[in-house]
Amino acid sequence: MAQRWIIHVDLDAFFASVEELLQPALRGKPLIVGGNPNERGVVSSASYAARAYGVRSAMPVAQALRLCPQAIVVPPRHGEYSRRSRAVMDILREITPAVEQISIDEAFLDVTGCERLWGPVREIGELIQRRVMDEQRLPVSLGIATNRLVAKIACDLGKPKGLVLVEPGTEAAFLAPLPIERLWGVGQVTGGKLRKMGIATIGDLAGWPEAQLARVLGEQGRGLALAARGVDESPLHISRDQRSISQERTFVRDVADEETLQRVLSRMSERVAARLRERHLVGQTVRIKLRYPDFTTITRQVTMPQPTDQGQLIYDQAWKLLGRNWHAGEAVRLLGVAVSGLLSEGGYQLGLFDQQDQRRIRLNRTLDDIRSRFGDDAIQRASWLEAGDDVDDDPPKD
Ligand SMILES: [Mg+2]
């Protein structure tokens, strides 16, 4: 299996950086984007020049001004920030569709397998920084690691304009010297409990047996024991912009023949699956689309117990849906199949699949490999080859 690579992208002092961009006179000055201090406004964002005085996000503006009286306070312009955020996210989605946006200025990218397209993962990171700077004039920091947890912490440590790459196998050593509060879910309460136990760094935490942590902290203790060793297999939740991967076909002549429908559906399912695998995605919901000669169109969908990137499994579900909604002899004008409920494949380790699936996965990897070297038509499954198709693929629509 390809080395899993996750990049955490975080724009530096985003709102303040946008204001500096729009009002060059503010550049380099202590700048606070926030509410009116007389109305108990809080700091939404502070430039690094203001942070040098101890100003932090979520701090009351009145308190921030006591720390840094010369700071310039400007009200937020959320429309402007949203527009620029979308432009940055679009850049990220050109690198890979496997983007999980977690806030207006932060996202995870699953770039597993993207090296073939973009080069080594560090170069992918540099490309992102360069493009966001060249095209949006905004500084961005990146953390690159084998999982979300470590990528996020790496990104935080490099700010601003940082690029921190944690090599596979060095996650625990990278985290060890850091204070426990760097871990997700360790705030004042948990942090206080841990410090009372003599646990100050993530390395201290990693030295404690999981069972003992679970006794003190319950279920959270188990999670922390894993996190402290840099283990995190959680998948990315792909944003709504990549909702589904689909194929559909409008027949040159309406089709009423079961075998042809089966063959076309099988071929489209395989194509959808190959595109899922290309993007390192798995999907859990299969949808079919049926259009009749009078242009009546129906869609039907089913959600499977496990997400998949396997054509046969997608086809099985699609054919069942078709069987329930199509009556023998009925003419069909268009047939489509789509997979949605997409997740990045990285979180689904092979162990979750049964033996037969593992064989299929290996077979499909080989097929994908040959297709990528010799073109899509180099290999066709036997079922595609019976009789010539009198249909053409519609261009992909996703
Ligand atoms: Mg940020």
Side-chain angles (χ1 to χ4, degrees), residues 124 193 230 253 292 303:
I124 299 176
K193 276 189 207 168
R253 286 182 298 278
Y292 299 102
T303 297

Side-chain angles (χ1 to χ4, degrees), residues 103-125:
S103 72
I104 191 163
D105 69 336
E106 268 179 275
F108 286 107
L109 276 69
D110 188 336
V111 294
T112 308
C114 289
E115 290 103 320
R116 258 201 253 178
L117 198 57
W118 299 114
V121 71
R122 179 181 290 278
E123 287 176 23
I124 299 176

Side-chain angles (χ1 to χ4, degrees), residues 216-255:
V216 184
L217 297 164
E219 202 44 47
Q220 194 194 3
R222 262 179 238 291
L224 283 176
L226 285 174
R229 300 200 304 273
V231 177
D232 169 27
E233 291 182 352
S234 61
L236 264 60
H237 298 276
I238 306 306
S239 77
R240 280 160 290 155
D241 286 50
Q242 175 76 38
R243 246 184 243 182
S244 66
I245 289 191
S246 63
Q247 283 267 303
E248 59 181 49
R249 210 171 275 185
T250 302
F251 298 113
V252 175
R253 286 182 298 278
D254 297 342
V255 169

Side-chain angles (χ1 to χ4, degrees), residues 5 60 63 66 88 114 123 138 158 165 180 198 229 236 245 247 249 289 304 318 323-324 327 341 349 365:
W5 282 115
Q63 184 189 345
R66 282 195 295 276
V88 170
C114 289
E123 287 176 23
L138 291 169
L165 189 154
I180 43 173
R229 300 200 304 273
L236 264 60
I245 289 191
Q247 283 267 303
R249 210 171 275 185
K289 182 167 163 186
M304 302 175 286
R324 272 184 237 132
H327 306 102
Q349 302 301 319
R365 290 248 154 85

Side-chain angles (χ1 to χ4, degrees), residues 137-392:
R137 306 248 139 242
L138 291 169
V140 68
S141 293
L142 305 181
I144 307 178
T146 58
N147 62 52
R148 289 156 48 112
L149 168 90
V150 179
K152 161 96 173 131
I153 294 173
C155 181
D156 288 345
L157 287 184
K159 284 189 146 294
K161 296 185 184 176
L163 190 163
V164 176
L165 189 154
V166 181
E167 293 289 349
T170 67
E171 294 85 354
F174 167 76
L175 296 177
L178 303 175
I180 43 173
E181 285 80 6
R182 285 273 173 194
L183 290 178
W184 277 328
V186 180
Q188 283 197 346
V189 176
T190 308
K193 276 189 207 168
L194 291 170
R195 283 180 184 277
K196 254 182 230 149
M197 294 160 71
I199 299 171
T201 65
I202 299 177
D204 295 338
L205 187 60
W208 278 64
E210 185 184 316
Q212 225 165 322
L213 288 173
R215 256 203 306 285
V216 184
L217 297 164
E219 202 44 47
Q220 194 194 3
R222 262 179 238 291
L224 283 176
L226 285 174
R229 300 200 304 273
V231 177
D232 169 27
E233 291 182 352
S234 61
L236 264 60
H237 298 276
I238 306 306
S239 77
R240 280 160 290 155
D241 286 50
Q242 175 76 38
R243 246 184 243 182
S244 66
I245 289 191
S246 63
Q247 283 267 303
E248 59 181 49
R249 210 171 275 185
T250 302
F251 298 113
V252 175
R253 286 182 298 278
D254 297 342
V255 169
D257 157 50
E258 180 168 329
E259 246 177 76
T260 306
L261 291 176
Q262 250 172 1
R263 194 175 66 244
V264 170
L265 197 61
S266 165
R267 184 169 181 165
M268 290 194 299
S269 300
E270 294 288 353
R271 291 253 169 108
V272 166
R275 278 166 54 216
L276 285 166
R277 292 191 295 272
E278 246 168 54
R279 294 157 198 220
H280 298 274
L281 299 171
V282 291
Q284 202 156 1
T285 299
V286 174
R287 185 173 70 239
I288 60 157
K289 182 167 163 186
L290 263 178
R291 180 168 295 152
Y292 299 102
D294 67 354
F295 283 90
T296 316
T297 306
I298 62 161
T299 60
R300 294 289 183 270
Q301 65 177 49
V302 63
T303 297
M304 302 175 286
Q306 285 279 339
T308 188
D309 60 4
Q310 304 301 302
Q312 185 65 44
L313 297 179
I314 295 166
Y315 168 75
D316 290 346
Q317 299 297 333
W319 182 247
K320 264 191 239 164
L321 288 171
L322 188 77
R324 272 184 237 132
N325 294 282
W326 173 78
H327 306 102
E330 221 170 1
V332 173
R333 179 184 168 81
L334 173 151
L335 183 59
V337 61
V339 171
S340 59
L342 304 183
L343 294 167
S344 76
E345 165 218 55
Y348 287 85
Q349 302 301 319
L350 281 178
L352 288 178
F353 294 96
D354 66 31
Q355 290 254 303
Q356 201 190 353
D357 280 338
Q358 293 204 26
R359 270 198 303 279
R360 265 197 222 127
I361 286 165
R362 278 195 296 273
L363 171 66
N364 280 324
R365 290 248 154 85
T366 310
L367 292 178
D368 290 345
D369 208 50
I370 294 171
R371 279 197 197 100
S372 74
R373 276 185 290 155
F374 302 107
D376 199 30
D377 289 325
I379 297 179
Q380 298 195 334
R381 291 287 175 80
S383 63
W384 299 353
L385 292 171
E386 302 161 8
D389 276 340
D390 60 347
V391 290
D392 280 326

